[in-house]
Amino acid sequence: MAFFLMGCSDAINIFPVENNTTDQFYKDEFELKQAIMGVYARLGRNGTNTDFPTDYYLLSSEGRSDNWYSANIPNAQRDQSDLRYFQVTDVTSLNQTNYSRLYQLIKDANYLLKNSSEEYSRFHAEARFLRALAYFELVRGYGEQPIIDHPITNAEAKGASRQPLTDAYSFIIADLEFAANNLEDFYEGEDAGRVGSIAAKCLLGQVYTTMAGYPLKEDKAYEKAELVLKEIINVVEDRFAPNYADIFDVSKENKYDLFSVQFASGGQSLGSSMAAYVTTSAGSSTCFPEWAYVGYSQQGQDFRVDSLLIKQMKNENDLRLETSVAPGFWSTVEHGYTAKDSSDYFVERDILIKFLTKDNTNNTIKGWNDYPLNYPILRPADAYLLYAEALINNGKASEARKWINEIRKRAGINLLTKNPTMDDIIYERRCEFLGEGKRYFDLVRMGESTFVK
């Protein structure tokens, strides 16, 4: 002991990991990986009962569109109804949840960017992509926002003022361009699910097409969208699923997408709550098709898909319908398939099912919010249809037809023989992305005449 004491001339100051402050963290690759995983986590459950895609893309976005509606005003959790009927206030809980979570993500990204070396370009690129995504959803959902690019105090946050939409979009574009220039196309293996350059460019294309519509109506936006999407369109083709159902197959995750929120069942608070909100009954009864796991209670809110859209898709024999919508559910597990069974036990409802895990033996699911299926924010069909939209608006409709027809061919519906129009784009987006939170924002950016039609 004496020798050891004599041999130590310098003090050893090692802070326990659990006591690290921002001044002591973000110093090496291990810590930065922990930090960036924390930023990604803001899109998942993040220690809450529901995840961001459920709260924002499904309940707050799809629920305000003409795709999906609540057949009965719920006795509880009325936030969805307030959003549906455009009666949201600043104290609507779900509205507060969405808004605060996006700014929490921005805060986390800003801390990483401020406190880590620029040599870690990949981590910076991921943080800037996620920050851009958060700001994009903020300006689409809430209009002008304070632009915050560094850590600030609570007092400073309260005093922050909104800045013009053009400033926000310039900020978003700069972040996405940095991400696109500092990431590999895709990441595989243990890094599967982390964002790559192709996703950054696809989101940039979406940003430009959004800027081209209401309210900015930016003149050159479609030209910029065409340029950035043209760079990736051939690479994206390799990830275009041959069958629509493959996109929502849990065994094929991270294969046919560009960027998805990652989920996993097993009772570790990493599962998706999406499936719980597309059911139509609660308790222990079967609340959706018998191939879904029914061992746990669901939320039991009566959400249904628009019947006119279903009729239209049926008339075209659209293959996407079977993957996306079920015509009802059995009210008991014990049933046959006779006419009497159908009359007694089958409840007709147009249920959104594309996010359900289609395996009734999957006992890794431990609760209503523990479903394993990832949620796609960007996939190849986004790039195809955004590129086609830009081409149409740049006077190149004949070139756009190829990309729309790729979507229609997979759906098993007749190919377009004439040059496509924006009506064709909007309809294809409605069917292709049913339930994925895109329809409401499409209606908004098309302007008032489309939104209130």
Side-chain angles (χ1 to χ4, degrees), residues 40 49 54 68 93 124-125 129 156 172 187 218 237 244 250 266 276 292 323 362 377 398 408 413 439 446 448 451:
Y40 279 106
N49 283 331
T54 298
W68 201 57
S93 178
H124 279 229
F129 171 88
E156 289 173 322
I172 292 165
Y187 293 94
E218 175 69 39
E237 282 188 273
Y244 188 74
V250 72
T323 296
N362 188 342
I377 290 180
S398 60
R408 294 175 68 89
I413 58 180
R439 174 66 174 173
M446 289 299 105
E448 182 181 357
F451 189 82

Side-chain angles (χ1 to χ4, degrees), residues 180-291:
N181 291 330
N182 289 277
L183 294 169
E184 296 178 15
D185 285 356
F186 300 101
Y187 293 94
E188 308 292 341
E190 66 177 17
D191 285 339
R194 293 173 68 175
V195 69
S197 173
I198 301 301
K201 291 178 181 178
C202 185
L203 182 56
L204 183 56
Q206 185 181 0
V207 167
Y208 283 132
T209 56
T210 300
M211 293 173 68
Y214 176 86
L216 284 183
K217 299 184 179 179
E218 175 69 39
D219 286 342
K220 302 294 184 180
Y222 274 128
E223 293 178 18
K224 295 174 181 177
E226 179 186 343
L227 287 174
V228 72
L229 291 165
K230 186 176 182 178
E231 290 180 32
I232 67 170
I233 200 68
N234 292 329
V235 177
V236 164
E237 282 188 273
D238 293 334
R239 295 177 78 93
F240 188 72
N243 301 302
Y244 188 74
D246 291 342
I247 303 166
F248 306 97
D249 184 337
V250 72
S251 69
K252 299 174 182 177
E253 291 181 326
N254 299 316
K255 184 176 181 180
Y256 298 122
D257 62 351
L258 304 182
F259 178 64
S260 294
V261 179
Q262 305 290 296
F263 292 110
S265 57
Q268 301 298 310
S269 296
L270 299 173
S272 169
S273 59
M274 183 76 66
Y277 288 90
V278 298
T279 62
T280 57
S281 66
S284 59
S285 63
T286 305
C287 14
F288 34 63
E290 64 274 18
W291 38 249

Side-chain angles (χ1 to χ4, degrees), residues 6 37 84 157 168 179 270-271 295 323:
M6 292 169 59
M37 290 299 104
R84 172 68 185 179
L270 299 173
T323 296

Side-chain angles (χ1 to χ4, degrees), residues 136-405:
F136 182 49
E137 299 305 353
L138 282 165
V139 296
R140 289 204 302 171
Y142 300 98
E144 295 179 347
Q145 296 298 310
I147 306 303
I148 302 167
D149 65 354
H150 61 280
I152 61 174
T153 65
N154 289 341
E156 289 173 322
K158 290 178 181 178
S161 59
R162 294 174 183 264
Q163 294 168 240
L165 282 179
T166 50
D167 290 356
Y169 276 109
S170 294
F171 186 74
I172 292 165
I173 290 166
D175 271 356
L176 291 176
E177 287 177 339
F178 182 89
N181 291 330
N182 289 277
L183 294 169
E184 296 178 15
D185 285 356
F186 300 101
Y187 293 94
E188 308 292 341
E190 66 177 17
D191 285 339
R194 293 173 68 175
V195 69
S197 173
I198 301 301
K201 291 178 181 178
C202 185
L203 182 56
L204 183 56
Q206 185 181 0
V207 167
Y208 283 132
T209 56
T210 300
M211 293 173 68
Y214 176 86
L216 284 183
K217 299 184 179 179
E218 175 69 39
D219 286 342
K220 302 294 184 180
Y222 274 128
E223 293 178 18
K224 295 174 181 177
E226 179 186 343
L227 287 174
V228 72
L229 291 165
K230 186 176 182 178
E231 290 180 32
I232 67 170
I233 200 68
N234 292 329
V235 177
V236 164
E237 282 188 273
D238 293 334
R239 295 177 78 93
F240 188 72
N243 301 302
Y244 188 74
D246 291 342
I247 303 166
F248 306 97
D249 184 337
V250 72
S251 69
K252 299 174 182 177
E253 291 181 326
N254 299 316
K255 184 176 181 180
Y256 298 122
D257 62 351
L258 304 182
F259 178 64
S260 294
V261 179
Q262 305 290 296
F263 292 110
S265 57
Q268 301 298 310
S269 296
L270 299 173
S272 169
S273 59
M274 183 76 66
Y277 288 90
V278 298
T279 62
T280 57
S281 66
S284 59
S285 63
T286 305
C287 14
F288 34 63
E290 64 274 18
W291 38 249
Y293 188 67
V294 297
Y296 299 94
S297 299
Q298 306 299 309
Q299 292 299 294
Q301 298 179 42
D302 195 358
F303 293 114
R304 307 183 196 179
V305 179
D306 178 62
S307 59
L308 294 179
L309 176 61
I310 291 173
K311 182 178 180 181
Q312 202 167 358
M313 294 179 75
K314 280 183 177 178
N315 288 341
E316 292 190 294
N317 295 317
D318 194 322
L319 299 177
R320 293 172 291 197
L321 185 61
E322 183 178 3
T323 296
S324 302
V325 182
F329 63 92
W330 295 98
S331 62
T332 178
V333 175
E334 300 297 329
H335 64 80
Y337 294 91
T338 66
K340 187 176 187 311
D341 285 320
S342 296
S343 176
D344 291 345
Y345 304 124
F346 191 78
V347 181
E348 294 185 358
R349 295 284 190 276
D350 294 321
I351 311 169
L352 182 67
I353 59 169
K354 70 197 309 182
F355 301 111
L356 297 180
T357 302
K358 300 174 179 63
D359 177 8
N360 60 10
T361 67
N362 188 342
N363 58 8
T364 65
I365 300 171
K366 302 300 182 184
W368 63 268
N369 54 3
D370 194 42
Y371 279 72
L373 190 62
N374 292 347
Y375 183 88
I377 290 180
L378 294 167
R379 49 190 182 87
D382 282 283
Y384 281 24
L385 291 174
L386 291 169
Y387 186 46
E389 180 178 337
L391 290 169
I392 289 170
N393 285 279
N394 292 334
K396 304 175 183 178
S398 60
E399 296 179 39
R401 186 168 59 191
K402 163 183 167 58
W403 304 104
I404 300 175
N405 277 342

Side-chain angles (χ1 to χ4, degrees), residues 25-96:
F25 203 63
Y26 306 103
K27 299 306 182 187
D28 57 35
E29 187 169 350
F30 177 76
E31 291 180 345
L32 279 173
K33 186 172 183 179
Q34 286 183 303
I36 196 63
M37 290 299 104
V39 185
Y40 279 106
R42 295 294 188 187
L43 298 174
R45 286 272 297 285
N46 195 38
T48 61
N49 283 331
T50 55
D51 53 78
F52 181 72
T54 298
D55 290 340
Y56 185 76
Y57 292 116
L58 187 72
L59 299 178
S60 303
S61 303
E62 197 74 8
R64 284 191 288 178
S65 77
D66 54 351
N67 278 352
W68 201 57
Y69 68 100
S70 177
N72 296 295
I73 298 176
N75 294 324
Q77 296 175 294
R78 295 178 59 89
D79 289 359
Q80 294 92 305
S81 296
D82 290 344
L83 284 156
R84 172 68 185 179
Y85 298 114
F86 299 91
Q87 297 173 342
V88 175
T89 70
D90 57 352
V91 295
T92 302
S93 178
L94 184 55
N95 189 47
Q96 290 179 322

